[in-house]
Amino acid sequence: MVADNSSVTEFILAGLTDQPGFQIPLFCLFLGFYVVTVAGNLGLITLIGLNSNLHTPMYFFLFNLSFIDFCYSTVITPKMLMSFVSKKNIISYPGCMTQLFFFLFFVVSESFILSAMAYDRYVAICNPLMYTVTMSPQVCLLLLLGVYVMGFAGAMAHTACMMRLTFCANNLVNHYMCDILPLLERSCTSTYVNELVVFIVVGVDIGVPTVTIFISYALILSSILRINSTEGRSKAFSTCSSHIMAVSLFFGSGAFMYLKPSSLLPMNQGKVSSLFYTIVVPMLNPLIYNVKLALDKTLRTVLF
């Protein structure tokens, strides 16, 4: 059987559901989500790029967060939409591995850009007098380089391990995209190494940013509690609230999907969990930060 299955050249993506009555409504729903995601992220990128008042470290990282969200949503959503309007959503083997690589590259990059943003907030609140020196353009570029290096390393580790597997003749992937766990189900060879890599690499890619974020916000909270004025505390909390919401959505859904044994998380439930960090999070991030920008602008107008 392994010899017969060694020449798999394409996969069939099962999609989100096989219920005919849901196909068109779900297509319209997720098309709407994608339009909002593209418009929101490109709008935020344009706003930050054109407004010189926003050329600060905080918005430098937000610019890259919006770029990452736009890219990995574009890697996933158009192919998922095809599953709602076609009888068979076929993706070639090279196309599947390419989608897997870029999806992982942007997802891992997002986890580290969120930790870089937490560090930026820590410096701004806990050490404001040294902020411009500590978060200099050179430091910001080095942090960004580290973000994309970690994204590339994580994506290469998973994709290289996936390409060493032999896949079965039953090439129906029970998902709306080429993700790690659904592809492992289709393997005819041992996936022990791949599962080990998943726990190690995903543990690092979630663990390191999570620890960085928790330490940053523990120090931020300690600093905020020492502020005497209520207005000062409110302003400090407002600078962090949008980032905390984005972090909670992204890491919560990612950890729920990848850090549980597959026996405890049925794939259909995993598909629903995947929707949060592949579809919902990229759409909500620009909305969250645009609301913050609007509130900040309103506050400055009222005060000055």
Side-chain angles (χ1 to χ4, degrees):
M1 180 178 291
V2 173
D4 292 337
N5 297 334
S6 61
S7 59
V8 170
T9 58
E10 63 184 26
F11 295 101
I12 301 172
L13 300 177
L16 194 60
T17 179
D18 58 356
Q19 299 296 321
F22 292 124
Q23 301 293 340
I24 298 303
L26 286 175
F27 174 82
C28 296
L29 176 66
F30 287 110
L31 179 61
F33 283 176
Y34 184 60
V35 169
V36 173
T37 300
V38 171
N41 283 291
L42 290 183
L44 201 53
I45 288 170
T46 304
L47 176 64
I48 295 171
L50 295 179
N51 191 339
S52 59
N53 293 325
L54 300 180
H55 293 176
T56 63
M58 173 180 161
Y59 290 104
F60 170 75
F61 291 120
L62 181 55
F63 180 96
N64 282 276
L65 176 65
S66 293
F67 170 74
I68 290 169
D69 281 338
F70 166 73
C71 289
Y72 90 74
S73 178
T74 300
V75 168
I76 300 302
T77 310
K79 192 63 180 173
M80 183 187 76
L81 292 173
M82 289 182 62
S83 66
F84 297 124
V85 295
S86 59
K87 291 183 178 180
K88 283 188 178 182
N89 190 13
I90 297 174
I91 184 169
S92 67
Y93 178 87
C96 186
M97 294 300 111
T98 301
Q99 185 189 58
L100 177 68
F101 174 83
F102 282 105
F103 163 66
L104 293 170
F105 172 73
F106 289 118
V107 167
V108 174
S109 296
E110 174 142 345
S111 69
F112 282 95
I113 201 80
L114 288 171
S115 64
M117 294 171 75
Y119 176 71
D120 171 72
R121 292 299 82 207
Y122 155 72
V123 177
I125 293 173
C126 298
N127 198 9
L129 297 179
M130 296 296 293
Y131 181 71
T132 55
V133 176
T134 306
M135 297 303 295
S136 66
Q138 293 81 4
V139 172
C140 291
L141 287 173
L142 284 175
L143 287 172
L144 186 65
L145 178 63
V147 165
Y148 289 124
V149 166
M150 292 303 295
F152 179 81
M156 277 299 297
H158 288 301
T159 308
C161 287
M162 193 65 67
M163 293 179 69
R164 57 179 283 276
L165 298 178
T166 300
F167 292 98
C168 297
N170 180 10
N171 58 350
L172 178 64
V173 177
N174 186 21
H175 213 288
Y176 56 82
M177 64 177 182
C178 289
D179 201 358
I180 299 170
L181 301 182
L183 287 173
L184 293 182
E185 289 185 346
R186 300 274 67 86
S187 174
C188 295
T189 51
S190 173
T191 59
Y192 173 78
V193 173
N194 297 71
E195 292 171 5
L196 189 62
V197 169
V198 167
F199 276 98
I200 293 173
V201 176
V202 174
V204 170
D205 293 340
I206 291 180
V208 172
T210 300
V211 170
T212 303
I213 291 167
F214 268 111
I215 292 175
S216 297
Y217 277 108
L219 295 172
I220 288 171
L221 181 61
S222 175
S223 180
I224 289 175
L225 293 177
R226 291 198 296 268
I227 299 175
N228 294 324
S229 68
T230 304
E231 182 183 350
R233 289 185 183 182
S234 299
K235 183 179 179 181
F237 273 120
S238 70
T239 63
C240 301
S241 57
S242 54
H243 184 252
I244 291 172
M245 290 176 64
V247 166
S248 301
L249 283 170
F250 181 78
F251 284 104
S253 56
F256 183 76
M257 177 67 185
Y258 290 104
L259 295 183
K260 273 190 171 184
S262 57
S263 58
L264 299 180
L265 184 66
M267 189 52 62
N268 287 335
Q269 188 178 347
K271 286 193 284 188
V272 175
S273 176
S274 299
L275 286 175
F276 281 96
Y277 65 88
T278 58
I279 308 296
V280 177
V281 170
M283 179 185 69
L284 289 182
N285 279 344
L287 297 178
I288 291 170
Y289 287 103
N290 272 319
V291 168
K292 181 184 181 303
L293 283 171
L295 290 175
D296 288 347
K297 184 176 180 181
T298 302
L299 183 62
R300 284 195 296 269
T301 303
V302 170
L303 291 178
F304 301 108

